[in-house]
Amino acid sequence: MAYSTLALLAASAAIAAGSASAAPAAAPDTARHQPEIDKIVRNISPQRIEATIRKLVSFQTRHTMSDTESDTVGIGAARRWIKSEFERCNAQNGGRLQVQFDGHIAPVSRRISRPTEIVNVVATLPGTQDASKERIYVVSGHYDSRNTDVMDATGFAPGANDDASGTAAVMEMACVMSRYKFDATLVFMTVAAEEQGLLGAAHWAEQAKQKKLNIAGMFTNDIIGSSRDEHGKVDDKQVRLFAEGLPVEKEASEANRTLIQTGGENDSISRQLARHVKEQGERYVKDFKVNVIQRRDRYLRGGDHMPFLERGYAALRFTEPAEDFNHQHQNVRTENGVLIGDMPEYNDYNYIAKVARVNAAALATLALAPAAPQQVQVRTAQLENDTALVWKANSEPDLAGYRVVWRATDAAVWQGSKFVGNVTEARLPLSKDNYYFGVQAIDKDGNASPATYPVPLR
Ligand SMILES: [Zn+2]
């Protein structure tokens, strides 16, 4: 599939590792299914996701400035229920999830009319490998909802798709995945105040940056509920994955200047993460396409991945293939015989489960795999038609070695690959001028990291 031209390229050239030592050990099988990931994918339940969404809708509104005292109505009741669900599931699954409220007071702003407590519900599954547990992957959905008037804190705002769908997917992933152990740490997060300006996610991302947390990847799931477009056409065979290339910056950072200078606009850390999600998601979820959209988000819209992008982290957004705008951000009503509003009957629960499975497969492979290699460089001191790459050694004890991947400059996904062994240098008889390269770290079970794009070594 993704590596279809590998055979051609590899057959036409005897590709050797640059190391002076003997030929590399046999490559780990990177195409095999990890049995625990197959189990996770199988165990994600559309019925539980539906029950979660209907419960979230039952709180009438989850507007960020809605009631916090009632046990049955408003955002306070909703977040206490979400926390209790994480805890209930955790008690059944060995108790390794750390479940917490993450709250702060947001001052008055454009969409906040009085100082308001914004509370995220965060469930952390700590990594179990010393060399990897500081590496963190975050998956989120926003549990707040809204009406036509974004300041209406009392009207019925079911938010069944936007974004009980993403919230329920995250809760289901936490429940199923916390039965298993991963090398790296997973953070399952349901956030508030997305509709009031991405405030919950921005607070968490800013704390992470200040604590210098190693957030190696973040996905938001926002509007993943429906497979039906506004004309009634159903497409439950794909999900959109929005991935930013170069960030908008007043002044380009050194890293982004290097990307531009070397034609690496399509090799940002978010694009590398998206390639990984596409490969692993499509491997584990049959007959389902991860449609990588090479832009930050849809026109006129934004989401909780943006505060992470703005702080330099790799971050992606999952969204259904074609949104029906009659069923989001609207008061529930009938107009000219058309039912309008974000009600649970417009969701497709089997579809949400498929998107959750793609997320879970990608998170599991990331958290089982080594870190993406660091300080990857391409030698450019000499005019030559080979490509010589060097990188810093990884520290994971289960590392098997490294794989060099490449693609034509007009291709979106990797087309060729070569396992080069446990070395920190490789030479390939392919021109650095004609291909894009990346280096991945591979563990003994065949788990591959996302690729790292090489910067010039002069
Ligand atoms: Zn949303």
Side-chain angles (χ1 to χ4, degrees):
M1 24 162 271
Y3 295 159
S4 53
T5 62
L6 163 63
L8 269 177
L9 288 166
S12 67
I15 294 166
S19 149
S21 62
D29 180 1
T30 52
R32 74 187 274 255
H33 280 225
Q34 304 297 339
E36 69 264 51
I37 301 180
D38 278 333
K39 278 189 209 146
I40 287 167
V41 164
R42 264 201 308 277
N43 286 338
I44 286 181
S45 156
Q47 291 77 23
R48 276 195 303 260
I49 287 170
E50 176 168 5
T52 298
I53 290 172
R54 290 188 182 277
K55 179 68 182 182
L56 288 167
V57 169
S58 79
F59 295 108
Q60 300 299 307
T61 176
R62 305 182 308 278
H63 189 278
T64 294
M65 289 183 292
S66 62
D67 188 2
T68 59
E69 302 292 320
S70 164
D71 283 333
T72 53
V73 172
I75 194 164
R79 68 190 173 225
R80 289 190 294 276
W81 179 76
I82 292 169
K83 183 161 180 274
S84 74
E85 281 296 291
F86 277 132
E87 286 163 346
R88 186 184 58 75
C89 182
N90 193 31
Q92 295 168 355
N93 291 339
R96 289 185 303 117
L97 269 184
Q98 299 166 359
V99 184
Q100 286 171 325
F101 281 142
D102 162 53
H104 78 287
I105 305 291
V108 172
S109 62
R110 197 166 58 89
R111 290 181 169 189
I112 294 285
S113 60
R114 56 177 163 75
T116 300
E117 190 179 20
I118 311 291
V119 183
N120 303 321
V121 193
V122 183
T124 303
L125 183 66
T128 57
Q129 185 183 77
D130 282 341
S132 300
K133 64 188 182 191
E134 305 293 317
R135 177 161 45 96
I136 300 167
Y137 299 94
V138 179
V139 62
S140 87
H142 71 86
Y143 71 93
D144 62 307
S145 66
R146 64 166 287 182
N147 246 323
T148 305
D149 172 4
V150 72
M151 303 305 284
D152 173 4
T154 56
F156 181 43
N161 190 350
D162 186 10
D163 182 34
S165 65
T167 301
V170 168
M171 291 168 68
E172 178 68 8
M173 280 181 249
C175 196
V176 172
M177 294 180 77
S178 60
R179 293 170 211 159
Y180 299 90
K181 289 186 174 159
F182 301 94
D183 293 346
T185 292
L186 295 172
V187 173
F188 304 91
M189 187 158 69
T190 71
V191 302
E194 193 273 349
E195 305 290 6
Q196 313 310 117
L198 317 176
L199 303 178
H203 179 258
W204 198 92
E206 179 60 23
Q207 297 295 309
K209 189 187 170 195
Q210 286 180 11
K211 290 185 226 162
K212 297 191 163 57
L213 296 188
N214 175 13
I215 311 296
M218 183 273 182
F219 316 150
T220 183
N221 286 269
D222 196 352
I223 312 181
I224 58 164
S226 172
S227 55
R228 184 182 296 265
D229 73 8
E230 75 269 36
H231 310 296
K233 187 169 151 280
V234 171
D235 178 359
D236 60 358
K237 300 278 189 285
Q238 62 164 314
V239 65
R240 289 185 291 173
L241 182 63
F242 288 86
E244 183 177 72
L246 295 176
V248 180
E249 295 173 313
K250 281 207 183 86
E251 208 171 308
S253 65
E254 169 107 33
N256 286 321
R257 270 205 305 276
T258 302
L259 284 178
I260 293 165
Q261 282 162 351
T262 59
E265 296 90 342
N266 197 5
D267 284 83
S268 66
I269 53 174
S270 293
R271 293 275 167 85
Q272 305 296 13
L273 185 63
R275 287 185 184 103
H276 179 96
V277 174
K278 179 176 177 66
E279 183 182 347
Q280 300 299 334
E282 292 179 356
R283 169 170 302 158
Y284 284 97
V285 185
K286 285 275 156 285
D287 303 319
F288 195 74
K289 179 182 173 184
V290 177
N291 183 14
V292 175
I293 308 286
Q294 296 187 347
R295 49 170 44 121
R296 169 189 264 211
D297 208 329
R298 302 101 77 228
Y299 282 99
L300 295 176
R301 308 295 289 271
D304 288 325
H305 56 317
M306 285 164 41
F308 287 83
L309 289 170
E310 285 156 7
R311 287 162 180 82
Y313 297 123
L316 305 169
R317 176 192 182 117
F318 284 99
T319 296
E320 65 197 28
E323 293 158 87
D324 182 342
F325 301 104
N326 279 334
H327 299 306
Q328 49 174 268
H329 296 194
Q330 301 247 24
N331 289 1
V332 175
R333 63 193 190 277
T334 303
E335 211 167 79
N336 304 323
V338 180
L339 291 163
I340 292 175
D342 191 352
M343 297 290 286
E345 55 265 38
Y346 303 115
N347 277 345
D348 173 343
Y349 296 97
N350 287 314
Y351 178 76
I352 300 171
K354 286 182 196 174
V355 178
R357 288 173 185 135
V358 167
N359 274 262
L363 287 168
T365 53
L366 288 163
L368 288 170
Q374 303 284 305
Q375 297 173 30
V376 180
Q377 295 176 297
V378 54
R379 292 191 189 279
T380 59
Q382 292 188 33
L383 291 172
E384 56 182 0
N385 285 318
D386 284 1
T387 297
L389 298 160
V390 297
W391 56 89
K392 184 174 164 236
N394 277 43
S395 61
E396 294 87 354
D398 57 341
L399 186 85
Y402 302 87
R403 181 166 74 166
V404 177
V405 290
W406 61 86
R407 65 182 203 277
T409 59
D410 60 353
V413 296
W414 300 119
Q415 296 173 311
S417 74
K418 174 71 182 171
F419 182 74
V420 296
N422 196 353
V423 295
T424 56
E425 180 153 6
R427 174 173 289 273
L428 291 94
L430 294 169
S431 171
K432 60 188 173 295
D433 300 319
N434 301 347
Y435 294 92
Y436 290 133
F437 289 92
V439 180
Q440 300 173 323
I442 315 278
D443 76 7
K444 288 175 177 150
D445 291 330
N447 295 298
S449 76
T452 304
Y453 181 75
V455 301
L457 173 63
R458 294 186 179 90

